[in-house]
Amino acid sequence: MKVLVIEDEQGLAESITDYMVKDGYICETVTTFRDAEEKIHLYTYDCVIVDLTLPDGNGFQLIEMLKRLMATTGVIIISARNALEDKLKGLEIGSDDYLTKPFHLSELNARVKSLMRRRQFGGYTEIRFQELVVVPQTRKVFVNGQLTTLSRKEYDLLLYFLSNVDVALTKASIAEHLWGDNIDSADSFDMVYSHIKNLRRKLLEKGAADYIQSIYGIGYKFSQP
Amino acid sequence: MKLLAKTNRIYLAFSLVIYLLTALAFYQIVRLLIYDEVESRLRVERRDFETYVRIHNSWSSSPYFVENKIEVVPVSKRQPVKESFRDTLILNRYDNELTPFRQLTFYEPIHGVMHRVSIRKSLIQTYRLIEVITATMVVFLGLLLLGMFWFQRRLSGQLWHPFYDTLSRIKQFDLSTNSSLDLSPTTITEFNELNDVLQKMAAKMQQDYRSLKEFTENASHEIQTPLALINAKVEQLIQTESLSETQTHWIETIYQASRRISRLNQGLLLLAKIENRQFNDSQRIDLANLLTQKLADMDDVLSFKHLSIQVGPVVPFEVSLPAALADSLVTNLVNNAIKHNQPQGRIELTSTADQLYLRNSGGSLTTEPERLFERFKKESSGPDSVGLGLAIVRQICDSYGLRIAYQAANGVHEICISRA
C-alpha cells in the first residue's frame, strides 16, 4: 500500500510518515508543490494525503492533476483552513476526505484505512484481529464466529481501535472520533469511559480476550494482552 | 426627504412669502396713489366751491353737482375748522347699493353762518382698478412662480444627476467582490472630486478587506500548522513504552493545552471572519428546527448527563443566515446549555414566529448575564472552556439582525433570540 504525503511542515510530514510506516504502509514525503507534481507524474499511489497551502502552489491544483492522471487514487486533504467552501470545493474536485488541522494521527490513520477499504474492495473486505471479525459493509461484528450486537458508538469505537492496533489512543482523540469536533467538554472523557466499558464487556461475554488496555493518564490501547 | 424635493420645497415656500409680500406692497402703493389722486381732485373742487361761495356769497344746489356729490349743512356751534378726509359708504339711489366714496369735509361760512361742507368722490372706479391690477399681478406672479419652480427642478435635476448616479453605484458596490468602484466623470468639479475620493476610499477598503481576509487565513494556517506539529509529536511521544507516570501527566497537560489553543484560535478566527463579513451566502433557515435536530444529535451526551429535553411548542423561526454560521450558532447554544447544566437537569426549547427560547437548568450566576456574551468571560474557570461560545453567538446575532438576551432566575437560564 503506497501513500504519498504532501506537507510543507517537515516535522508534521515526518510524524505522519512514521505513523504510517509503523502500520505497514510504504510512505513517501514531499514538501513542495513542484516535487509533488513530479512524484504524481512518475509513480502510482493508493492514497495521497495533501496539504492545501504549499509554499509554491495550491493543493487543489494537485488534486485536479492527480484525478486526471489516476482517478482511483484516494485523496485526503489536511488543511488548517476550516471554511466550508474549502471543504466543499475539495470534495467536489474529487478528494475523499477533509481533515482540519490540528488532527489526531490516529484519526488520520483510521480515515486512510477506511478509505482504502472503500476504494480497493468496495467495502467487502473483512477486518480480522485474532478471534474478532468485522464486516464493514454490513456493520457486523463476529467473535469466534458468533454475531455480537454492538451499538453504533461501540462499533465505531471498535473500528477505530482496529485501525490503530498497538497504538496508544488519547481520550480526546476517541471522543472526537465518536462525536466530532464539537465535543470539547471534560464530560466527553467520562462518556468515552462508559462506552469502552460496554464494548469490553460485550467482547468478553462472547469469549474474546481482553484487548483493551487503559494507559494511565492518557487513554487506551488495543493490543494483544 | 430627497435633496431635490427639499430644495424645491424650500424654494417654493420662500418664493410664496416673497410674492405675497410683493403683492401686498403693490396693493398698498396703488391704493396710496389712487387716494392721493382722488384727494387732490377733491381739494380742487373745494377751491371751486370756495370761489363760487366768495363770488355769489350763497350756495344753491347747482345742477353741476350730481347726487350725493356735495352736502352743505349749517352748523350752529363752533366747530374745528380743520379739513378731514374719510372713507364712507353711501346708498346709491338708483340701484339701492352701498357704494364707497372718499369724502372731504371742511367748514365754510355762507351768509355769515358756518356750514359744514362735504364733497365726495366715488371710489367705485378706483376699486375696480385695484381689483384688475391685483388679479393681473396674481396671475403673472403665479405664472412666474410656477415657471421658476419648473425651471429650478429641471436644472437641479440635471445638475445633481451625477450625484444620484454616484449614489446608486455606491449602493451596488460590494466590498467582497473583486470588481472596483467605477464612477463616470462629470463636468462638475465638486462631483469629480467626490467621485475621486470615493473611488480611492473604495479601493483602499477593498485592499484592506482583502489583506484582512488573507491575514485571517494565513494566521489560521500559521498557528494551526505548528499546533498540528505539536499534537503529532505528542502523539508519537505517547507511543513510547517506557513513560513514567509523571511524564504521562506532563504529556497529557501539553496535549490539553495545545488543543485548547487550537480551539481558541479557531474561535477567534471565526469571530474575525464574522466581523469582516466574510460569510455572504445567507439563506432562509429555520433555527427552531435546526436546534431540535442538534439536540437530537446530542442524545448520547444528553443521556450520559441524564438531561431531559422538552421541545415545544415549536413554530418555525426563520432567519436569514449563512448555513455555516447557523450551525455554529446552534452548536454553541446547545453546548452551552449542556455544559452549564446540572445533573438530572433539563433543557427546554420553545419558539414562536418571532422569538426563540432555549432554557436550561443550572446554578446561579456570579456575573451579570449580559457580561457572559463578552469574549473570554467564563462563569466557571473550567479548563475545557475557552469562553468564546457565547461571544460567537452574540457576534452572529449582531451581524445578522438578531437580538439576543440572557436571563437567569431561580436556577433557570434562558436565552431568547428575536428579530431586532
Side-chain angles (χ1 to χ4, degrees), chain A residues 9 11-12 15 18 80 102 104-105 153 167-168 170 176 179 184 187 190-191 216-218 221, chain B residues 220 225 228-229 233 235-236 238-239 241 245 248 252 255 259 262 300-301 304-305 331 335 384:
Chain A
E9 185 68 40
L12 187 59
S15 292
D18 283 357
H104 300 275
L105 289 175
K153 288 280 184 282
V167 170
T170 59
E176 277 170 34
W179 292 286
D184 59 352
D187 299 324
D190 297 332
M191 294 194 303
Y216 175 80
I218 292 174
K221 188 189 222 175
Chain B
S220 161
T225 303
L229 182 62
K233 293 297 174 197
E235 269 189 84
Q236 281 184 296
I238 288 169
Q239 308 310 326
E241 295 289 338
E245 220 168 85
T248 45
E252 180 68 12
Y255 196 60
R259 296 204 66 73
S262 163
D300 244 331
V301 188
F304 182 79
K305 287 195 81 175
T331 306
N335 277 347
D384 53 320

mmCIF file of all heavy atoms in Angstrom, chain A residues 9 11-12 15 18 80 102 104-105 153 167-168 170 176 179 184 187 190-191 216-218 221, chain B residues 220 225 228-229 233 235-236 238-239 241 245 248 252 255 259 262 300-301 304-305 331 335 384:
data_model
loop_
_atom_site.group_PDB
_atom_site.id
_atom_site.type_symbol
_atom_site.label_atom_id
_atom_site.label_comp_id
_atom_site.label_asym_id
_atom_site.label_seq_id
_atom_site.Cartn_x
_atom_site.Cartn_y
_atom_site.Cartn_z
ATOM 1 N N GLU A 9 5.193 21.306 6.213
ATOM 2 C CA GLU A 9 5.760 21.352 7.556
ATOM 3 C C GLU A 9 6.497 20.035 7.804
ATOM 4 O O GLU A 9 5.870 19.003 8.043
ATOM 5 C CB GLU A 9 4.618 21.557 8.560
ATOM 6 C CG GLU A 9 5.047 21.743 10.000
ATOM 7 C CD GLU A 9 5.791 23.050 10.234
ATOM 8 O OE1 GLU A 9 5.366 24.068 9.652
ATOM 9 O OE2 GLU A 9 6.777 23.043 10.974
ATOM 10 N N GLY A 11 8.251 18.590 10.107
ATOM 11 C CA GLY A 11 8.021 17.789 11.309
ATOM 12 C C GLY A 11 6.734 17.008 11.252
ATOM 13 O O GLY A 11 6.669 15.828 11.629
ATOM 14 N N LEU A 12 5.700 17.678 10.766
ATOM 15 C CA LEU A 12 4.397 17.032 10.685
ATOM 16 C C LEU A 12 4.426 15.902 9.660
ATOM 17 O O LEU A 12 3.909 14.806 9.894
ATOM 18 C CB LEU A 12 3.321 18.069 10.307
ATOM 19 C CG LEU A 12 1.884 17.602 10.350
ATOM 20 C CD1 LEU A 12 1.520 17.112 11.744
ATOM 21 C CD2 LEU A 12 0.950 18.722 9.929
ATOM 22 N N SER A 15 6.084 12.946 11.176
ATOM 23 C CA SER A 15 5.227 12.235 12.121
ATOM 24 C C SER A 15 4.222 11.356 11.398
ATOM 25 O O SER A 15 4.024 10.196 11.761
ATOM 26 C CB SER A 15 4.462 13.233 12.988
ATOM 27 O OG SER A 15 5.348 13.903 13.837
ATOM 28 N N ASP A 18 6.093 8.367 9.875
ATOM 29 C CA ASP A 18 6.463 7.380 10.900
ATOM 30 C C ASP A 18 5.264 6.535 11.286
ATOM 31 O O ASP A 18 5.342 5.298 11.389
ATOM 32 C CB ASP A 18 6.970 8.097 12.159
ATOM 33 C CG ASP A 18 8.391 8.595 11.972
ATOM 34 O OD1 ASP A 18 8.954 8.322 10.882
ATOM 35 O OD2 ASP A 18 8.922 9.256 12.890
ATOM 36 N N ALA A 80 -5.324 23.625 7.396
ATOM 37 C CA ALA A 80 -5.654 24.482 8.540
ATOM 38 C C ALA A 80 -6.900 25.289 8.232
ATOM 39 O O ALA A 80 -7.513 25.863 9.104
ATOM 40 C CB ALA A 80 -4.491 25.409 8.848
ATOM 41 N N PRO A 102 -5.450 21.225 13.815
ATOM 42 C CA PRO A 102 -4.665 20.037 14.093
ATOM 43 C C PRO A 102 -5.558 18.808 14.210
ATOM 44 O O PRO A 102 -6.664 18.912 14.706
ATOM 45 C CB PRO A 102 -4.027 20.371 15.437
ATOM 46 C CG PRO A 102 -4.956 21.323 16.092
ATOM 47 C CD PRO A 102 -5.644 22.067 15.001
ATOM 48 N N HIS A 104 -5.718 14.321 14.963
ATOM 49 C CA HIS A 104 -5.009 13.236 15.631
ATOM 50 C C HIS A 104 -4.453 12.308 14.572
ATOM 51 O O HIS A 104 -5.148 11.993 13.610
ATOM 52 C CB HIS A 104 -5.971 12.444 16.516
ATOM 53 C CG HIS A 104 -6.604 13.276 17.571
ATOM 54 N ND1 HIS A 104 -6.009 13.527 18.779
ATOM 55 C CD2 HIS A 104 -7.785 13.931 17.596
ATOM 56 C CE1 HIS A 104 -6.799 14.291 19.502
ATOM 57 N NE2 HIS A 104 -7.882 14.552 18.809
ATOM 58 N N LEU A 105 -3.230 11.880 14.744
ATOM 59 C CA LEU A 105 -2.637 10.945 13.784
ATOM 60 C C LEU A 105 -3.475 9.677 13.693
ATOM 61 O O LEU A 105 -3.670 9.111 12.625
ATOM 62 C CB LEU A 105 -1.205 10.590 14.206
ATOM 63 C CG LEU A 105 -0.182 11.717 14.052
ATOM 64 C CD1 LEU A 105 1.167 11.271 14.623
ATOM 65 C CD2 LEU A 105 -0.026 12.111 12.594
ATOM 66 N N LYS A 153 -22.075 3.522 18.446
ATOM 67 C CA LYS A 153 -20.850 4.117 19.009
ATOM 68 C C LYS A 153 -19.834 3.023 19.356
ATOM 69 O O LYS A 153 -18.644 3.185 19.149
ATOM 70 C CB LYS A 153 -21.189 4.931 20.253
ATOM 71 C CG LYS A 153 -21.923 6.229 19.946
ATOM 72 C CD LYS A 153 -20.962 7.318 19.500
ATOM 73 C CE LYS A 153 -21.650 8.642 19.274
ATOM 74 N NZ LYS A 153 -22.388 8.725 17.999
ATOM 75 N N VAL A 167 -1.453 0.949 19.304
ATOM 76 C CA VAL A 167 -1.162 2.382 19.382
ATOM 77 C C VAL A 167 -1.916 2.959 20.580
ATOM 78 O O VAL A 167 -3.086 2.641 20.790
ATOM 79 C CB VAL A 167 -1.631 3.099 18.091
ATOM 80 C CG1 VAL A 167 -1.556 4.599 18.262
ATOM 81 C CG2 VAL A 167 -0.793 2.648 16.910
ATOM 82 N N ALA A 168 -1.225 3.777 21.357
ATOM 83 C CA ALA A 168 -1.908 4.423 22.483
ATOM 84 C C ALA A 168 -2.816 5.526 21.949
ATOM 85 O O ALA A 168 -2.356 6.422 21.247
ATOM 86 C CB ALA A 168 -0.884 5.010 23.435
ATOM 87 N N THR A 170 -5.438 8.621 22.679
ATOM 88 C CA THR A 170 -5.821 9.531 23.759
ATOM 89 C C THR A 170 -7.340 9.566 23.878
ATOM 90 O O THR A 170 -8.062 9.329 22.906
ATOM 91 C CB THR A 170 -5.328 10.954 23.478
ATOM 92 O OG1 THR A 170 -5.907 11.374 22.257
ATOM 93 C CG2 THR A 170 -3.823 10.997 23.378
ATOM 94 N N GLU A 176 -13.362 12.712 20.014
ATOM 95 C CA GLU A 176 -13.587 13.440 18.769
ATOM 96 C C GLU A 176 -13.936 12.505 17.623
ATOM 97 O O GLU A 176 -14.714 12.859 16.741
ATOM 98 C CB GLU A 176 -12.364 14.285 18.426
ATOM 99 C CG GLU A 176 -12.408 15.600 19.175
ATOM 100 C CD GLU A 176 -11.118 16.374 19.076
ATOM 101 O OE1 GLU A 176 -10.463 16.297 18.014
ATOM 102 O OE2 GLU A 176 -10.761 17.037 20.059
ATOM 103 N N TRP A 179 -17.756 11.620 18.439
ATOM 104 C CA TRP A 179 -18.781 12.668 18.466
ATOM 105 C C TRP A 179 -18.467 13.880 17.610
ATOM 106 O O TRP A 179 -19.222 14.837 17.591
ATOM 107 C CB TRP A 179 -19.040 13.116 19.905
ATOM 108 C CG TRP A 179 -19.702 12.052 20.725
ATOM 109 C CD1 TRP A 179 -21.008 11.660 20.637
ATOM 110 C CD2 TRP A 179 -19.107 11.236 21.728
ATOM 111 N NE1 TRP A 179 -21.259 10.652 21.526
ATOM 112 C CE2 TRP A 179 -20.114 10.365 22.221
ATOM 113 C CE3 TRP A 179 -17.832 11.157 22.257
ATOM 114 C CZ2 TRP A 179 -19.863 9.430 23.216
ATOM 115 C CZ3 TRP A 179 -17.594 10.236 23.253
ATOM 116 C CH2 TRP A 179 -18.603 9.376 23.729
ATOM 117 N N ASP A 184 -16.054 19.118 23.299
ATOM 118 C CA ASP A 184 -14.850 19.679 23.899
ATOM 119 C C ASP A 184 -15.021 19.837 25.409
ATOM 120 O O ASP A 184 -14.417 20.667 26.026
ATOM 121 C CB ASP A 184 -14.503 21.031 23.250
ATOM 122 C CG ASP A 184 -15.618 22.025 23.406
ATOM 123 O OD1 ASP A 184 -16.699 21.625 23.868
ATOM 124 O OD2 ASP A 184 -15.409 23.205 23.080
ATOM 125 N N ASP A 187 -16.683 16.216 30.229
ATOM 126 C CA ASP A 187 -17.627 15.106 30.336
ATOM 127 C C ASP A 187 -17.408 14.060 29.266
ATOM 128 O O ASP A 187 -17.689 12.886 29.466
ATOM 129 C CB ASP A 187 -19.064 15.621 30.169
ATOM 130 C CG ASP A 187 -19.402 16.614 31.246
ATOM 131 O OD1 ASP A 187 -18.927 16.422 32.380
ATOM 132 O OD2 ASP A 187 -20.139 17.565 30.954
ATOM 133 N N ASP A 190 -15.671 11.007 30.264
ATOM 134 C CA ASP A 190 -16.464 10.042 31.029
ATOM 135 C C ASP A 190 -17.327 9.205 30.098
ATOM 136 O O ASP A 190 -17.516 8.011 30.304
ATOM 137 C CB ASP A 190 -17.364 10.762 32.030
ATOM 138 C CG ASP A 190 -16.533 11.518 33.064
ATOM 139 O OD1 ASP A 190 -15.412 11.070 33.323
ATOM 140 O OD2 ASP A 190 -17.007 12.547 33.561
ATOM 141 N N MET A 191 -17.831 9.875 29.041
ATOM 142 C CA MET A 191 -18.650 9.143 28.078
ATOM 143 C C MET A 191 -17.804 8.092 27.368
ATOM 144 O O MET A 191 -18.259 6.988 27.135
ATOM 145 C CB MET A 191 -19.261 10.096 27.066
ATOM 146 C CG MET A 191 -20.264 11.043 27.704
ATOM 147 S SD MET A 191 -21.269 11.889 26.516
ATOM 148 C CE MET A 191 -20.102 12.695 25.500
ATOM 149 N N TYR A 216 -2.560 4.785 31.904
ATOM 150 C CA TYR A 216 -2.812 5.780 32.924
ATOM 151 C C TYR A 216 -2.606 7.208 32.403
ATOM 152 O O TYR A 216 -1.583 7.525 31.807
ATOM 153 C CB TYR A 216 -1.913 5.533 34.140
ATOM 154 C CG TYR A 216 -2.060 6.618 35.166
ATOM 155 C CD1 TYR A 216 -3.140 6.612 36.047
ATOM 156 C CD2 TYR A 216 -1.151 7.673 35.229
ATOM 157 C CE1 TYR A 216 -3.295 7.625 36.958
ATOM 158 C CE2 TYR A 216 -1.314 8.696 36.145
ATOM 159 C CZ TYR A 216 -2.395 8.662 37.011
ATOM 160 O OH TYR A 216 -2.558 9.673 37.905
ATOM 161 N N GLY A 217 -3.595 8.046 32.613
ATOM 162 C CA GLY A 217 -3.469 9.474 32.285
ATOM 163 C C GLY A 217 -3.609 9.810 30.816
ATOM 164 O O GLY A 217 -3.761 10.972 30.460
ATOM 165 N N ILE A 218 -3.536 8.807 29.953
ATOM 166 C CA ILE A 218 -3.553 9.128 28.529
ATOM 167 C C ILE A 218 -4.822 8.615 27.862
ATOM 168 O O ILE A 218 -5.601 9.401 27.328
ATOM 169 C CB ILE A 218 -2.321 8.538 27.816
ATOM 170 C CG1 ILE A 218 -1.070 9.264 28.303
ATOM 171 C CG2 ILE A 218 -2.458 8.668 26.310
ATOM 172 C CD1 ILE A 218 0.211 8.696 27.786
ATOM 173 N N LYS A 221 -5.329 1.489 24.763
ATOM 174 C CA LYS A 221 -4.549 0.875 23.697
ATOM 175 C C LYS A 221 -5.189 -0.478 23.396
ATOM 176 O O LYS A 221 -5.606 -1.200 24.303
ATOM 177 C CB LYS A 221 -3.121 0.667 24.193
ATOM 178 C CG LYS A 221 -2.160 0.207 23.131
ATOM 179 C CD LYS A 221 -0.861 -0.160 23.826
ATOM 180 C CE LYS A 221 0.347 0.334 23.062
ATOM 181 N NZ LYS A 221 1.582 0.086 23.784
ATOM 182 N N SER B 220 -4.542 31.655 10.509
ATOM 183 C CA SER B 220 -5.095 30.350 10.813
ATOM 184 C C SER B 220 -4.097 29.265 10.448
ATOM 185 O O SER B 220 -3.767 28.400 11.253
ATOM 186 C CB SER B 220 -6.390 30.167 10.021
ATOM 187 O OG SER B 220 -6.721 28.818 9.935
ATOM 188 N N THR B 225 -0.777 25.039 11.931
ATOM 189 C CA THR B 225 0.248 24.086 11.496
ATOM 190 C C THR B 225 1.216 23.715 12.632
ATOM 191 O O THR B 225 1.410 22.533 12.885
ATOM 192 C CB THR B 225 0.983 24.624 10.251
ATOM 193 O OG1 THR B 225 0.002 24.870 9.250
ATOM 194 C CG2 THR B 225 1.984 23.631 9.733
ATOM 195 N N ALA B 228 -0.584 21.516 14.950
ATOM 196 C CA ALA B 228 -0.713 20.158 14.423
ATOM 197 C C ALA B 228 0.586 19.400 14.652
ATOM 198 O O ALA B 228 0.581 18.215 14.999
ATOM 199 C CB ALA B 228 -1.036 20.211 12.932
ATOM 200 N N LEU B 229 1.688 20.121 14.481
ATOM 201 C CA LEU B 229 3.002 19.517 14.689
ATOM 202 C C LEU B 229 3.166 19.086 16.147
ATOM 203 O O LEU B 229 3.575 17.952 16.430
ATOM 204 C CB LEU B 229 4.080 20.530 14.299
ATOM 205 C CG LEU B 229 5.524 20.067 14.403
ATOM 206 C CD1 LEU B 229 5.783 18.903 13.477
ATOM 207 C CD2 LEU B 229 6.468 21.220 14.067
ATOM 208 N N LYS B 233 3.617 15.261 17.423
ATOM 209 C CA LYS B 233 4.795 14.808 18.172
ATOM 210 C C LYS B 233 4.392 14.251 19.535
ATOM 211 O O LYS B 233 4.954 13.259 20.007
ATOM 212 C CB LYS B 233 5.787 15.963 18.348
ATOM 213 C CG LYS B 233 6.417 16.423 17.041
ATOM 214 C CD LYS B 233 7.255 15.325 16.397
ATOM 215 C CE LYS B 233 7.743 15.750 15.020
ATOM 216 N NZ LYS B 233 8.200 14.612 14.221
ATOM 217 N N GLU B 235 1.600 12.853 20.217
ATOM 218 C CA GLU B 235 1.003 11.540 19.979
ATOM 219 C C GLU B 235 2.072 10.470 19.782
ATOM 220 O O GLU B 235 1.927 9.337 20.236
ATOM 221 C CB GLU B 235 0.074 11.592 18.767
ATOM 222 C CG GLU B 235 -1.354 11.937 19.160
ATOM 223 C CD GLU B 235 -2.306 11.778 17.997
ATOM 224 O OE1 GLU B 235 -2.768 10.648 17.768
ATOM 225 O OE2 GLU B 235 -2.581 12.787 17.317
ATOM 226 N N GLN B 236 3.138 10.861 19.083
ATOM 227 C CA GLN B 236 4.232 9.899 18.901
ATOM 228 C C GLN B 236 4.912 9.585 20.225
ATOM 229 O O GLN B 236 5.259 8.454 20.505
ATOM 230 C CB GLN B 236 5.264 10.456 17.916
ATOM 231 C CG GLN B 236 4.816 10.308 16.479
ATOM 232 C CD GLN B 236 5.892 10.781 15.536
ATOM 233 O OE1 GLN B 236 6.235 11.957 15.535
ATOM 234 N NE2 GLN B 236 6.429 9.872 14.746
ATOM 235 N N ILE B 238 3.571 9.667 23.092
ATOM 236 C CA ILE B 238 2.691 8.813 23.890
ATOM 237 C C ILE B 238 2.929 7.335 23.588
ATOM 238 O O ILE B 238 2.796 6.475 24.452
ATOM 239 C CB ILE B 238 1.219 9.197 23.629
ATOM 240 C CG1 ILE B 238 0.908 10.545 24.284
ATOM 241 C CG2 ILE B 238 0.261 8.145 24.160
ATOM 242 C CD1 ILE B 238 -0.426 11.109 23.856
ATOM 243 N N GLN B 239 3.312 7.065 22.343
ATOM 244 C CA GLN B 239 3.505 5.670 21.944
ATOM 245 C C GLN B 239 4.733 5.031 22.619
ATOM 246 O O GLN B 239 4.882 3.819 22.617
ATOM 247 C CB GLN B 239 3.664 5.537 20.420
ATOM 248 C CG GLN B 239 2.582 6.206 19.598
ATOM 249 C CD GLN B 239 1.179 5.853 20.041
ATOM 250 O OE1 GLN B 239 0.918 4.735 20.492
ATOM 251 N NE2 GLN B 239 0.255 6.799 19.954
ATOM 252 N N GLU B 241 6.966 3.305 25.084
ATOM 253 C CA GLU B 241 6.539 2.343 26.104
ATOM 254 C C GLU B 241 6.942 2.755 27.516
ATOM 255 O O GLU B 241 6.210 2.609 28.466
ATOM 256 C CB GLU B 241 7.141 0.964 25.802
ATOM 257 C CG GLU B 241 6.645 0.335 24.509
ATOM 258 C CD GLU B 241 5.198 -0.112 24.592
ATOM 259 O OE1 GLU B 241 4.707 -0.317 25.716
ATOM 260 O OE2 GLU B 241 4.556 -0.251 23.528
ATOM 261 N N GLU B 245 4.875 7.804 35.234
ATOM 262 C CA GLU B 245 3.576 8.404 35.492
ATOM 263 C C GLU B 245 3.641 9.926 35.395
ATOM 264 O O GLU B 245 2.757 10.573 34.849
ATOM 265 C CB GLU B 245 3.110 7.987 36.883
ATOM 266 C CG GLU B 245 1.634 7.684 36.931
ATOM 267 C CD GLU B 245 1.283 6.999 38.234
ATOM 268 O OE1 GLU B 245 1.058 7.716 39.214
ATOM 269 O OE2 GLU B 245 1.248 5.766 38.272
ATOM 270 N N THR B 248 3.805 10.949 31.714
ATOM 271 C CA THR B 248 2.496 10.914 31.029
ATOM 272 C C THR B 248 1.631 12.095 31.477
ATOM 273 O O THR B 248 0.902 12.671 30.674
ATOM 274 C CB THR B 248 1.718 9.619 31.328
ATOM 275 O OG1 THR B 248 1.789 9.351 32.701
ATOM 276 C CG2 THR B 248 2.198 8.464 30.523
ATOM 277 N N GLU B 252 0.167 14.745 28.944
ATOM 278 C CA GLU B 252 -1.269 14.977 28.925
ATOM 279 C C GLU B 252 -1.575 16.474 29.021
ATOM 280 O O GLU B 252 -2.417 17.013 28.293
ATOM 281 C CB GLU B 252 -1.917 14.219 30.099
ATOM 282 C CG GLU B 252 -3.413 14.357 30.218
ATOM 283 C CD GLU B 252 -4.150 13.673 29.075
ATOM 284 O OE1 GLU B 252 -3.503 12.911 28.328
ATOM 285 O OE2 GLU B 252 -5.368 13.923 28.923
ATOM 286 N N TYR B 255 -0.682 18.276 25.836
ATOM 287 C CA TYR B 255 -1.669 17.903 24.833
ATOM 288 C C TYR B 255 -2.961 18.707 24.996
ATOM 289 O O TYR B 255 -3.489 19.292 24.047
ATOM 290 C CB TYR B 255 -1.941 16.409 25.003
ATOM 291 C CG TYR B 255 -2.636 15.760 23.862
ATOM 292 C CD1 TYR B 255 -2.054 15.763 22.605
ATOM 293 C CD2 TYR B 255 -3.848 15.122 24.044
ATOM 294 C CE1 TYR B 255 -2.683 15.147 21.548
ATOM 295 C CE2 TYR B 255 -4.485 14.512 22.991
ATOM 296 C CZ TYR B 255 -3.906 14.523 21.748
ATOM 297 O OH TYR B 255 -4.529 13.921 20.704
ATOM 298 N N ARG B 259 -4.487 21.681 22.455
ATOM 299 C CA ARG B 259 -5.833 21.578 21.871
ATOM 300 C C ARG B 259 -6.681 22.787 22.244
ATOM 301 O O ARG B 259 -7.519 23.244 21.481
ATOM 302 C CB ARG B 259 -6.515 20.280 22.315
ATOM 303 C CG ARG B 259 -5.792 19.047 21.808
ATOM 304 C CD ARG B 259 -6.700 17.854 21.719
ATOM 305 N NE ARG B 259 -7.745 18.017 20.722
ATOM 306 C CZ ARG B 259 -7.528 17.966 19.407
ATOM 307 N NH1 ARG B 259 -6.314 17.795 18.939
ATOM 308 N NH2 ARG B 259 -8.536 18.091 18.577
ATOM 309 N N SER B 262 -5.720 25.625 20.086
ATOM 310 C CA SER B 262 -6.290 25.406 18.765
ATOM 311 C C SER B 262 -7.762 25.827 18.722
ATOM 312 O O SER B 262 -8.205 26.501 17.791
ATOM 313 C CB SER B 262 -6.142 23.931 18.413
ATOM 314 O OG SER B 262 -6.996 23.611 17.357
ATOM 315 N N ASP B 300 -26.581 11.203 22.847
ATOM 316 C CA ASP B 300 -25.580 10.473 23.607
ATOM 317 C C ASP B 300 -25.154 11.238 24.854
ATOM 318 O O ASP B 300 -25.171 10.725 25.968
ATOM 319 C CB ASP B 300 -24.331 10.314 22.723
ATOM 320 C CG ASP B 300 -24.070 8.862 22.437
ATOM 321 O OD1 ASP B 300 -24.444 8.047 23.284
ATOM 322 O OD2 ASP B 300 -23.505 8.575 21.372
ATOM 323 N N VAL B 301 -24.761 12.478 24.602
ATOM 324 C CA VAL B 301 -24.283 13.329 25.684
ATOM 325 C C VAL B 301 -25.408 13.576 26.677
ATOM 326 O O VAL B 301 -25.212 13.546 27.890
ATOM 327 C CB VAL B 301 -23.786 14.668 25.109
ATOM 328 C CG1 VAL B 301 -23.117 15.485 26.179
ATOM 329 C CG2 VAL B 301 -22.836 14.427 23.954
ATOM 330 N N PHE B 304 -26.096 10.633 28.745
ATOM 331 C CA PHE B 304 -24.986 10.408 29.669
ATOM 332 C C PHE B 304 -25.077 11.357 30.870
ATOM 333 O O PHE B 304 -24.827 10.978 32.001
ATOM 334 C CB PHE B 304 -23.642 10.607 28.958
ATOM 335 C CG PHE B 304 -22.474 10.347 29.851
ATOM 336 C CD1 PHE B 304 -22.075 9.045 30.118
ATOM 337 C CD2 PHE B 304 -21.796 11.399 30.456
ATOM 338 C CE1 PHE B 304 -21.011 8.800 30.959
ATOM 339 C CE2 PHE B 304 -20.730 11.155 31.297
ATOM 340 C CZ PHE B 304 -20.336 9.851 31.551
ATOM 341 N N LYS B 305 -25.449 12.585 30.618
ATOM 342 C CA LYS B 305 -25.553 13.556 31.710
ATOM 343 C C LYS B 305 -26.930 13.545 32.372
ATOM 344 O O LYS B 305 -27.240 14.393 33.196
ATOM 345 C CB LYS B 305 -25.240 14.969 31.184
ATOM 346 C CG LYS B 305 -23.761 15.172 30.902
ATOM 347 C CD LYS B 305 -23.400 16.630 30.738
ATOM 348 C CE LYS B 305 -23.221 17.320 32.073
ATOM 349 N NZ LYS B 305 -22.763 18.708 31.966
ATOM 350 N N THR B 331 -24.843 25.071 17.506
ATOM 351 C CA THR B 331 -23.917 24.209 18.245
ATOM 352 C C THR B 331 -23.476 24.871 19.544
ATOM 353 O O THR B 331 -23.475 24.249 20.608
ATOM 354 C CB THR B 331 -22.671 23.908 17.386
ATOM 355 O OG1 THR B 331 -23.109 23.378 16.151
ATOM 356 C CG2 THR B 331 -21.768 22.924 18.067
ATOM 357 N N ASN B 335 -24.245 23.427 23.179
ATOM 358 C CA ASN B 335 -23.106 23.113 24.040
ATOM 359 C C ASN B 335 -23.182 23.881 25.349
ATOM 360 O O ASN B 335 -22.897 23.352 26.418
ATOM 361 C CB ASN B 335 -21.790 23.448 23.344
ATOM 362 C CG ASN B 335 -21.347 22.327 22.425
ATOM 363 O OD1 ASN B 335 -21.905 21.220 22.502
ATOM 364 N ND2 ASN B 335 -20.390 22.596 21.571
ATOM 365 N N ASP B 384 -11.891 23.231 30.247
ATOM 366 C CA ASP B 384 -12.464 22.749 28.994
ATOM 367 C C ASP B 384 -13.190 23.843 28.239
ATOM 368 O O ASP B 384 -13.736 23.623 27.177
ATOM 369 C CB ASP B 384 -13.419 21.581 29.273
ATOM 370 C CG ASP B 384 -14.447 21.943 30.313
ATOM 371 O OD1 ASP B 384 -14.063 22.625 31.282
ATOM 372 O OD2 ASP B 384 -15.610 21.559 30.155
#
